Amino acid sequence: MTTKKVGVISQARMTSTRLPGKVLLKAGGKTMLQHHVDRLRDAGLDVYIATTQNTSDDPIAAYAAQANIPCYRGDEHNVLSRFYECALRYGLDVIVRVTSDCPLIDGQLIADAVQQYLAWDDEAVYLSNALQRTFPRGFDFEIFSFGLLKEAFQNATLTADLEHVTPYINQNKSGRVTLRHYTQDKDASQFRITLDTPEDFELISLLMEQHGAHKLSGDEIMLLLENHPKLQNINAHVEQKKLGE
C-alpha cells in the first residue's frame, strides 16, 4: 500500500463580523495565526493556509510566505472550492481541516486522530471531534479523504455546503460516508477557546500571558479551565454562530 500524503489545511481570512482582523491580534508575543500554526506543527504534518484572493487578506499571504507555509488563495465565499483546489494543487490524499480561529488547538490530538484514521484504510471514513463534542470548542478538526472532498466539490450546490466545506460530507449526502467520532471519556465541551469575539480574545490572552497556555498540552489547558471558573465565565455567554450565519 502506498503511503498517503496527509496535510492540514487551515482556512484564514481577515474579515470577521464580530472581531475583524482577529487572526493577526497578538498575545504571548505572537499573532493568533502564529500560535495556531506552531501548535499545528506539533502534529508532525505539513500545514497549508487557504485564504482568499481579497487584498484584505494580503497580510495572511505575507505571513505564510515569511513562515515558509504553502498558501492557496481562492474564492472568499466558496470555501469548499478553496479547500479542493488547495488539496489538488499540493497533491493531498488525506485532508485535516481546521480553522485559524483556534490558536490553542492541540497538534498531538490531531496526530493521534490521523493515526486512527489511517489505520482504517478506508477513503469513505470521515473522522471528527466536532460532531459528537467532548473537547472544547477551539480544538476542532475534521479528517477526510481527497475522494470525499472531490465528490463534495463536484456535487454540492447549497450555499451552506459551499461556505462551510464539510456539510455535504458529514451529512452523508452521497450516502457512502462512514462517520466516526474522536472523543474522550471526560466531557469538556462546555469550554470555549475559539476566537470570534472580544471576550474570546480576552480569555485566550489571559490563558497565554498569565498561564502559559500556548506551551501547554490540550489536557493541561482543559484542566486549567476546570480549575479556574472565573476564566470560564469570561466568554461562557458567547453563542457560536450557526451554519449560514
Side-chain angles (χ1 to χ4, degrees):
M1 185 180 70
T2 57
T3 302
K4 291 182 171 65
K5 184 176 181 182
V6 183
V8 182
I9 301 179
S10 179
Q11 63 194 71
R13 61 183 182 134
M14 291 294 288
T15 52
S16 166
T17 54
R18 299 203 282 190
L19 190 62
K22 61 187 180 182
V23 297
L24 295 187
L25 294 175
K26 286 189 174 182
K30 297 179 183 178
T31 66
M32 297 292 103
L33 185 55
Q34 287 174 300
H35 285 298
H36 172 71
V37 169
D38 286 348
R39 290 179 68 84
L40 285 177
R41 283 175 165 160
D42 288 341
L45 301 168
D46 289 335
V47 177
Y48 305 84
I49 290 177
T51 192
T52 82
Q53 298 167 335
N54 298 350
T55 55
S56 59
D57 289 320
D58 287 351
I60 291 175
Y63 160 72
Q66 176 269 325
N68 198 29
I69 301 167
C71 180
Y72 180 81
R73 303 188 73 169
D75 191 281
E76 176 182 11
H77 301 294
N78 189 341
V79 193
L80 172 58
S81 73
R82 209 192 310 165
F83 267 75
Y84 171 75
E85 290 158 6
C86 180
L88 182 65
R89 171 173 292 184
Y90 295 107
L92 301 184
D93 301 304
V94 176
I95 294 91
V96 181
R97 179 193 175 223
V98 297
T99 59
S100 60
D101 51 8
C102 299
L104 289 172
I105 197 165
D106 187 347
Q108 290 296 319
L109 280 181
I110 292 173
D112 183 64
V114 166
Q115 289 306 307
Q116 286 191 24
Y117 174 90
L118 292 175
W120 288 312
D121 192 23
D122 182 353
E123 80 149 22
V125 167
Y126 163 97
L127 175 64
S128 172
N129 68 343
L131 293 185
Q132 190 172 307
R133 185 176 293 281
T134 58
F135 289 95
R137 193 175 293 278
F139 284 5
D140 299 13
F141 60 80
E142 303 169 277
I143 307 172
F144 45 88
S145 67
F146 180 76
L148 288 183
L149 180 61
K150 182 178 181 179
E151 190 169 52
F153 170 74
Q154 291 177 334
N155 294 289
T157 56
L158 297 179
T159 299
D161 291 347
L162 303 180
E163 288 184 348
H164 299 282
V165 184
T166 52
Y168 186 91
I169 299 172
N170 63 35
Q171 294 174 17
N172 196 17
K173 294 184 179 182
S174 69
R176 72 180 195 93
V177 179
T178 301
L179 295 178
R180 296 192 184 273
H181 306 286
Y182 187 89
T183 61
Q184 60 180 359
D185 292 336
K186 192 169 190 177
D187 184 6
S189 61
Q190 73 273 24
F191 301 141
R192 177 183 172 85
I193 45 179
T194 189
L195 179 64
D196 196 42
T197 69
E199 295 91 340
D200 294 335
F201 181 61
E202 179 185 356
L203 172 61
I204 290 168
S205 297
L206 287 172
L207 287 172
M208 289 181 176
E209 295 177 350
Q210 295 187 9
H211 301 277
H214 50 299
K215 300 177 182 178
L216 301 179
S217 69
D219 285 340
E220 290 169 329
I221 292 171
M222 287 183 279
L223 184 61
L224 175 62
L225 285 168
E226 187 178 324
N227 291 334
H228 292 79
K230 287 185 179 179
L231 288 174
Q232 298 176 37
N233 292 336
I234 290 173
N235 65 349
H237 63 285
V238 175
E239 292 189 11
Q240 186 71 10
K241 283 186 174 183
K242 304 293 189 296
L243 289 187
E245 289 186 343

